[in-house]
Amino acid sequence: MPELRMPSLGADMEHGKVVEWLVKPGDYIHKGDLVAAVDTDKTVMDIESFQEGVVAEFLVDIGDTVDVGTPIARITATPAELPPPLTSGANSPDARSPLTAEEPTPAHRSAGSGPAEHDAKVPPPVRHLAHTLGVDVGRISGSGPGGEVVRADVERAAAASVTKAPAAPPVAAEAPAAPAAETHRVRSSPLARRLAAELGVDLHAVTGTGPGGAVTEDDVLSAVPPRGRAPKEQSPNVQGAEKPAEAPPSETPRPEARPKPMAEASGRKQPTAAGGKAESLRQAIGALMSRSKREIPHYYLSTTLDLAAAMAWMQVANQQRPVSSRLVPSALLLKATAIAAKEVPDMNGFFTKGAFQPSNSVHLGVAVALRHGGLVAPALHDAHTLSLDQLMDQLRDLVSRARAGRLQRAEMADPTITVTNLGDLGVESVYGVIYPPQVAMVGFGKVLEQPWAHNGMLGTRHAAIATLSADHRVSDGLRGGRFLARIDELLQKPEEL
Amino acid sequence: MNQQDARQAVEAAIGKVAPDVEPEDLEGSARLRQDLELDSLDFLHLVEVIAGSTGVDIPEADYPAVATVDGLVTYVAGHG
């Protein structure tokens, strides 16, 4: 049974938090379709599906933080690809096959059936409500005419999935409908799961005291030594007591108990979230850079690039262009770097498992400073093949999305070499720290008019200092020097970039 | 365009390009690059937004004249 797993969005990523579903159960998705927004320590990224099929159900809730590799959604094959119903049990070892579960309870009919049938039983407005509340409509018994799921069903399920109290209505989202499924999933409330993830508690190791042995928030808390407990108010989403009226009386009132999916999804825009993000980003950068300095024997080179030709060419080109398609010097520098990286493969690729794997494509990471502090370095894919105009367009798009905290998975995971261009803000040179598992980092300083001796004459021309930090396990200074020299050569013929 | 309209247009444009810049940081003498931390892409975006809102197209050759908030306001007022 295909599953969508939490992908790795970078060498340093160990876990991610689902903050938004971009699809809903019953949706038909193609390979490459964006399915969810995932919050890592660094940024929020949209992740794509590697499968084609119908979204059967979500296996994690919005706000859940899970390890890389954890299944987060189940995708069923398209109806045409499904085996005949009678044999379906054979390829659904988890006994969760929608086809076998379909008849006994209407609750599962959405899972494997095509979107059309799904639509018939759940009117779109109700499905939207369910999506908003984080309720899987496929797991609700409909109380409307012909078993149709109505708004009240969804709202009850939403309340039930939160409170998990004995008084919960019979439609409890995770209750009796699918007992077989619980063999690999510990029965627990979303809040308990989230708390367990935050505190690093293995739910399998916790004895549940809730209904049906479900692990409750208290169970999770009691499984942690007191000193290990983190403050519960970690994210802004747990503040609003949304539905106090529907929460059955319990011995310990929990005003923060209502996870509010929409608030979570938009939470990253709130000031508190931004502050927390800057902090976690700082930690992530610190951890990665420590690893880089510990593992990678860096060597450093610098050279001064003669930019007279490049700047003169760009100024003429820009005079004929509307503002919207003007170039910046960075575009030329990036393009020259990409071509040079293609020609000097020792700079371009990944060092993993004790060996260097050069990359055939140059996915050029571009360090982007974020306004609240920190930086991300997403990739311009196949930068060596882009025209200057294409590169410029993609650069602007990439930087604006990086700043808005909205990048795609591949952009974060793919860079094969990274460029940092601190010169934009005034420094003359920057010696970067290599971003593992990459093996080189190129830095560009400020473009300055400098005195320049040429053919025995002293004049002024535009110049900038280019630096290279490279991995001695892969290359030596000779090769690195050739790489920097090649960048300079390429910039002498800007019209060919 | 008078100075005040130009200032409004400039402040609105900066707010759009760099939403996190606080209004109190927008002193006339503030340098767009060094003080407001706009990079070259931000600056290009700013020039584009101003062209859209005021019709003033700032050619690259005039960039040095618009390096500060006041410089930009004066330029827009003078060319709009």
Side-chain angles (χ1 to χ4, degrees):
Chain A
M1 184 67 63
E3 281 164 332
L4 176 71
R5 292 167 186 275
M6 176 64 69
S8 173
L9 306 169
D12 52 330
M13 174 170 163
E14 292 170 353
H15 47 77
K17 175 162 76 173
V18 176
V19 292
E20 188 179 348
W21 290 108
L22 306 175
V23 294
K24 53 191 179 305
D27 279 357
Y28 186 85
I29 55 172
H30 297 89
K31 277 179 197 167
D33 283 356
L34 298 177
V35 292
V38 167
D39 195 355
T40 69
D41 291 334
K42 296 197 149 186
T43 184
V44 176
M45 278 172 266
D46 294 337
I47 61 170
E48 75 269 32
S49 176
F50 290 103
Q51 263 121 21
E52 180 174 355
V54 175
V55 178
E57 77 175 317
F58 299 145
L59 301 176
V60 299
D61 295 297
I62 282 179
D64 280 358
T65 297
V66 296
D67 290 341
V68 167
T70 306
I72 59 173
R74 201 158 54 81
I75 313 289
T76 59
T78 56
E81 292 168 359
L82 281 178
L86 285 177
T87 64
S88 68
N91 66 350
S92 46
D94 65 359
R96 251 197 160 179
S97 162
L99 295 167
T100 53
E102 201 157 11
E103 285 318 308
T105 160
H108 272 64
R109 69 173 174 273
S110 74
S113 48
E117 188 185 338
H118 187 71
D119 288 347
K121 293 292 189 181
V122 187
V126 175
R127 197 141 30 82
H128 181 256
L129 173 71
H131 182 55
T132 304
L133 294 176
V135 170
D136 179 356
V137 288
R139 308 177 79 180
I140 305 174
S141 304
S143 64
E148 185 173 291
V149 176
V150 297
R151 297 183 78 88
D153 297 329
V154 172
E155 285 165 4
R156 263 201 308 278
S161 72
V162 171
T163 60
K164 265 315 188 196
V171 291
E174 306 196 24
E182 305 304 339
T183 50
H184 67 285
R185 287 182 71 197
V186 176
R187 193 177 289 180
S188 55
S189 73
L191 182 61
R193 282 201 293 282
R194 177 162 44 254
L195 204 58
E198 279 172 8
L199 299 175
V201 171
D202 181 2
L203 279 179
H204 295 269
V206 179
T207 309
T209 61
V215 175
T216 67
E217 184 195 356
D218 284 338
D219 296 335
V220 174
L221 281 176
S222 57
V224 196
R227 287 182 60 83
R229 289 184 194 176
K232 269 188 283 178
E233 298 291 336
Q234 284 196 332
S235 53
N237 66 304
V238 290
Q239 281 155 7
E242 274 302 291
K243 300 205 169 179
E246 290 190 37
S250 67
E251 61 289 355
T252 46
R254 300 201 174 282
E256 80 284 8
R258 172 86 176 91
K260 195 178 160 203
M262 295 316 282
E264 174 65 25
S266 61
R268 58 181 182 265
K269 296 192 182 89
Q270 296 171 10
T272 50
K277 173 60 70 190
E279 196 176 309
S280 65
L281 177 56
R282 178 57 45 209
Q283 286 172 358
I285 293 169
L288 190 68
M289 295 298 102
S290 299
R291 178 182 148 197
S292 173
K293 284 284 187 168
R294 196 167 57 238
E295 294 178 1
I296 302 178
H298 288 63
Y299 68 87
Y300 306 94
L301 305 173
S302 84
T303 193
T304 300
L305 304 174
D306 173 2
L307 295 181
M311 294 301 286
W313 178 85
M314 193 188 85
Q315 278 160 8
V316 171
N318 279 348
Q319 276 171 13
Q320 297 160 355
R321 290 161 174 256
V323 185
S324 58
S325 58
R326 278 184 202 160
L327 301 168
V328 295
S330 298
L332 280 70
L333 297 173
L334 290 172
K335 182 66 195 293
T337 304
I339 296 172
K342 176 72 179 164
E343 294 177 4
V344 186
D346 285 356
M347 303 295 140
N348 185 56
F350 293 148
F351 191 94
T352 47
K353 299 193 181 97
F356 175 61
Q357 281 90 34
S359 168
N360 282 326
S361 298
V362 179
H363 302 311
L364 195 64
V366 181
V368 178
L370 303 179
R371 297 197 181 283
H372 293 290
L375 64 102
V376 291
L380 289 168
H381 283 127
D382 297 307
H384 59 297
T385 67
L386 301 176
S387 71
L388 271 181
D389 287 314
Q390 288 171 326
L391 188 146
M392 188 68 202
D393 283 348
Q394 293 190 18
L395 179 65
R396 294 185 69 168
D397 173 58
L398 193 68
V399 171
S400 69
R401 282 187 297 111
R403 293 234 166 96
R406 202 64 189 240
L407 293 164
Q408 292 177 15
R409 182 205 63 80
E411 291 168 343
M412 285 303 280
D414 285 355
T416 53
I417 178 172
T418 294
V419 172
T420 180
N421 194 7
L422 273 186
D424 244 11
L425 291 176
V427 301
E428 291 183 3
S429 59
V430 47
Y431 292 86
V433 180
I434 299 168
Y435 192 118
Q438 297 164 41
V439 297
M441 161 75 87
V442 180
F444 291 113
K446 180 159 63 170
V447 178
L448 287 170
E449 263 198 314
Q450 288 180 0
W452 193 281
H454 184 66
N455 286 340
M457 297 287 287
L458 193 59
T460 63
R461 54 176 74 186
H462 284 99
I465 296 177
T467 60
L468 172 71
S469 308
D471 187 336
H472 241 318
R473 297 171 300 182
V474 178
S475 64
D476 299 306
L478 185 65
R479 184 61 58 84
R482 206 182 115 204
F483 171 72
L484 281 185
R486 189 66 189 127
I487 293 177
D488 184 60
E489 275 175 23
L490 288 161
L491 287 166
Q492 303 316 310
K493 292 183 178 167
E495 66 282 359
E496 292 175 10
L497 284 176
Chain B
M1 182 179 288
N2 67 33
Q3 196 82 6
Q4 191 172 350
D5 290 346
R7 184 166 296 276
Q8 256 180 14
V10 165
E11 288 179 358
I14 293 175
K16 190 168 176 188
V17 171
D20 56 307
V21 171
E22 304 291 338
E24 60 264 28
D25 292 339
L26 284 180
E27 293 170 9
S29 61
R31 295 167 297 175
L32 302 176
R33 296 280 180 100
Q34 294 91 332
D35 297 330
L36 303 185
E37 297 191 345
L38 301 191
D39 65 20
S40 59
L41 291 177
D42 294 327
F43 185 76
L44 190 59
H45 189 198
L46 180 66
V47 171
E48 199 177 350
V49 170
I50 284 178
S53 65
T54 68
V56 176
D57 190 351
I58 307 170
E60 204 171 44
D62 288 345
Y63 284 179
V66 297
T68 63
V69 173
D70 272 352
L72 188 53
V73 169
T74 305
Y75 190 94
V76 171
H79 291 75

